[in-house]
Amino acid sequence: MTALTNLLDLDPEQLIAYCAELGEKPFRAKQLQRWIHQFGAGDFDAMTDLAKSLREKLKTRATIAAPAVISDHTSADGTRKWLLDVGQGNAVETVFIPEENRGTLCISTQAGCAVNCRFCSTGKQGFSRNLSVGEIIGQLWMAEFELRKTKGIEPGPKGERQITNVVMMGMGEPLLNFEPTVTALKLMLDDNAYGLSRRRVTLSTSGVVPMIDKLAQECPVALAVSLHASNDGLRDGLVPLNKKYPLVELMAACKRYLDYAPRDFITFEYCMLDGVNDTDAHARELVALVQNAVNPVPCKFNLIPFNPFPESGLTRSNNGRIKAFAQILMDAGIVTTIRKTRGDDIDAACGQLAGEVQDRTRVQERMQKMAEYQKKFGKDFGRIVEVRT
Ligand code: SAH
Ligand code: SF4
């Protein structure tokens, strides 16, 4: 028996080709795609406007399968985290963050990560494997329709969309899993799937320079770059990839990307590490880096208070320091936000939970711990709140 084709793995063109193999016209692929990505159908019998013979054919050859949910936790404020099984003891996390006028889904692109940034617990776990297209888009598929089910909102284009923004800021380096990531992005943007605008989809990268250029050509979405340092010496020690693609190259790539980007700025993420990268001198050096006369890069800064974990040997900059740092950037005319995470404990901090997970027993423990922490520290524990200063 041949393996079933997971239709979540196929982009619009591949679905057309797949239907052609079955002797079906391209419009059938569009119908199928709408059933899957707009109505959340996981069952061919539900696709009532497809001929019965086609449905029967599909049942024997295809499947619609997202990664299995290991746990599903909703905080009182609506933040919802799913832990998903991607096989062989690997789990990835998907987080939905509701805000007043939007709902943001933070998705993962790899199990583990090979970049090994000094401050990141995902990196400390090492690299397990790339996620497939179905595992990446499956996070959005699962989350959108689970959220609707919970709220009693009908599937389909008429029902109110729950996820309005996607950020690739979960586990993994998306540009080191390029093809599946781009295919998933194309589905996010496709009008017969999720129809999100490019401005509402953000890819975050540690700075894989050639792939930034490739992304500009193949699927330019909003770009966030994890900078974390104001000079090469410092960045080499925090983001090892910097040795391969130093700041001058990274800045030039950012500049080139802006010619294709849906927004007219790059977002720089900057993790605030006490005594490491958080002095006034670092802030001034950053201003000089992005506003230099030769190659200025229009940008915004998003300062992320470090979520500590024991093996890192690093601590979070205090709030006063973060504000002073932000002020220097803002005085130079750079829009700066501070991302606030509630609760200091690593175990429940965004993006850190699944990174620690190696097996299901530990997952259970951690989910219990998360619930305990929320009781203890309040409903916002583990939630990310964007604060404009
Ligand atoms: N690999 C990509 C995307 C995933 S990481 C990247 O590095 O951009 C998403 C963001 O979380 C990055 O900006 C990353 O630097 C940040 N991050 C990782 N570990 C963190 C920690 N312990 N505390 C705060 N932010 C962290
Ligand atoms: Fe990988 Fe991003 Fe973590 Fe660095 S910060 S190790 S690139 S997931």
Side-chain angles (χ1 to χ4, degrees):
M1 202 181 115
T2 48
L4 297 176
T5 302
N6 185 0
L7 299 187
L8 287 182
D9 278 325
L10 307 183
D11 72 12
E13 282 165 26
Q14 290 165 333
L15 197 58
I16 290 174
Y18 181 78
C19 285
E21 273 173 39
L22 300 183
E24 299 289 338
K25 299 233 162 63
F27 82 93
R28 290 284 176 219
K30 292 235 173 332
Q31 276 180 311
L32 197 50
Q33 196 181 315
R34 283 199 286 263
W35 273 114
I36 299 170
H37 294 292
Q38 296 190 340
F39 289 88
D43 176 3
F44 297 113
D45 280 330
M47 304 179 180
T48 43
D49 58 358
L50 297 186
K52 191 142 193 285
S53 57
L54 173 58
R55 281 187 265 154
E56 293 306 319
K57 219 187 284 179
L58 286 168
K59 275 199 244 173
T60 60
R61 297 174 195 218
T63 180
I64 302 162
V69 175
I70 298 170
S71 61
D72 172 354
H73 181 90
T74 308
S75 324
D77 66 7
T79 301
R80 188 161 172 182
K81 297 190 186 212
W82 291 272
L83 202 58
L84 304 175
D85 186 356
V86 291
Q88 294 162 340
N90 292 309
V92 295
E93 191 184 52
T94 300
V95 183
F96 175 70
I97 306 150
E99 283 163 298
E100 205 159 293
N101 293 316
R102 63 181 180 182
T104 303
L105 191 71
C106 175
I107 66 178
S108 299
T109 53
Q110 297 181 311
C113 181
V115 179
N116 196 16
C117 298
R118 207 180 132 203
F119 49 84
C120 175
S121 76
T122 301
K124 292 282 160 280
Q125 301 299 312
F127 174 68
S128 290
R129 71 170 176 84
N130 284 323
L131 299 191
S132 64
V133 177
E135 287 168 335
I136 300 172
I137 200 71
Q139 295 171 59
L140 177 55
W141 181 79
M142 178 280 299
E144 174 66 36
F145 298 107
E146 278 301 311
L147 287 163
R148 288 202 197 185
K149 213 190 285 170
T150 307
K151 280 194 167 180
I153 295 168
E154 61 174 318
K158 284 193 194 135
E160 187 196 345
R161 182 184 289 170
Q162 298 302 292
I163 295 163
T164 59
N165 295 60
V166 174
V167 292
M168 287 185 157
M169 291 184 185
M171 287 174 80
E173 169 48 58
L175 294 187
L176 291 180
N177 183 19
F178 190 82
E179 297 301 336
T181 293
V182 165
T183 304
L185 286 174
K186 285 182 179 163
L187 277 165
M188 290 174 201
L189 305 178
D190 194 282
D191 282 340
N192 289 302
Y194 301 89
L196 294 172
S197 92
R198 290 178 191 280
R199 301 160 61 87
R200 289 176 173 268
V201 178
T202 302
L203 182 146
S204 174
T205 179
S206 56
V208 192
V209 165
M211 293 301 162
I212 292 177
D213 288 318
K214 207 162 175 223
L215 185 69
Q217 296 306 319
E218 294 195 17
C219 196
V221 292
L223 189 68
V225 171
S226 296
L227 201 54
H228 308 310
S230 50
N231 61 63
D232 281 320
L234 185 56
R235 197 163 189 267
D236 283 351
L238 293 174
V239 184
L241 194 67
N242 195 69
K243 292 183 200 132
K244 199 163 176 191
Y245 305 115
L247 283 171
V248 62
E249 288 183 30
L250 181 56
M251 290 299 131
C254 289
K255 187 84 193 240
R256 289 193 295 275
Y257 192 83
L258 284 171
D259 287 341
Y260 302 88
R263 292 183 179 270
D264 54 7
F265 60 89
I266 300 285
T267 301
F268 287 124
E269 292 159 280
Y270 197 95
C271 184
M272 298 298 292
L273 302 163
D274 184 26
V276 175
N277 64 356
D278 67 345
T279 65
D280 287 356
H282 289 125
R284 285 192 293 267
E285 200 174 22
L286 272 183
V287 172
L289 179 73
V290 300
Q291 293 187 341
N292 73 80
V294 187
N295 191 28
V297 181
C299 62
K300 291 187 180 178
F301 266 82
N302 190 0
L303 306 181
I304 314 173
F306 171 58
N307 291 316
F309 57 100
E311 312 89 84
S312 72
L314 298 163
T315 47
R316 175 188 292 183
S317 311
N318 70 42
N319 287 348
R321 181 88 298 272
I322 299 177
K323 278 195 184 139
F325 195 94
Q327 195 59 51
I328 292 174
L329 299 178
M330 288 188 296
D331 288 348
I334 302 171
V335 173
T336 304
T337 55
I338 300 174
R339 193 192 297 172
K340 282 210 170 144
T341 57
R342 299 294 293 266
D344 277 350
D345 194 289
I346 172 63
D347 290 351
C350 183
Q352 305 300 300
L353 189 68
E356 297 272 313
V357 170
Q358 292 298 334
D359 61 56
R360 284 167 190 244
T361 342
R362 297 278 290 144
V363 172
Q364 290 301 337
E365 272 174 33
R366 280 176 193 281
M367 294 314 290
Q368 264 168 17
K369 220 171 173 185
M370 174 78 172
E372 272 170 35
Y373 284 143
Q374 282 182 334
K375 244 189 218 154
K376 205 159 141 191
F377 297 113
K379 65 184 172 57
D380 271 354
F381 189 84
R383 183 176 177 210
I384 295 175
V385 186
E386 290 265 323
V387 182
R388 281 192 191 274
T389 49

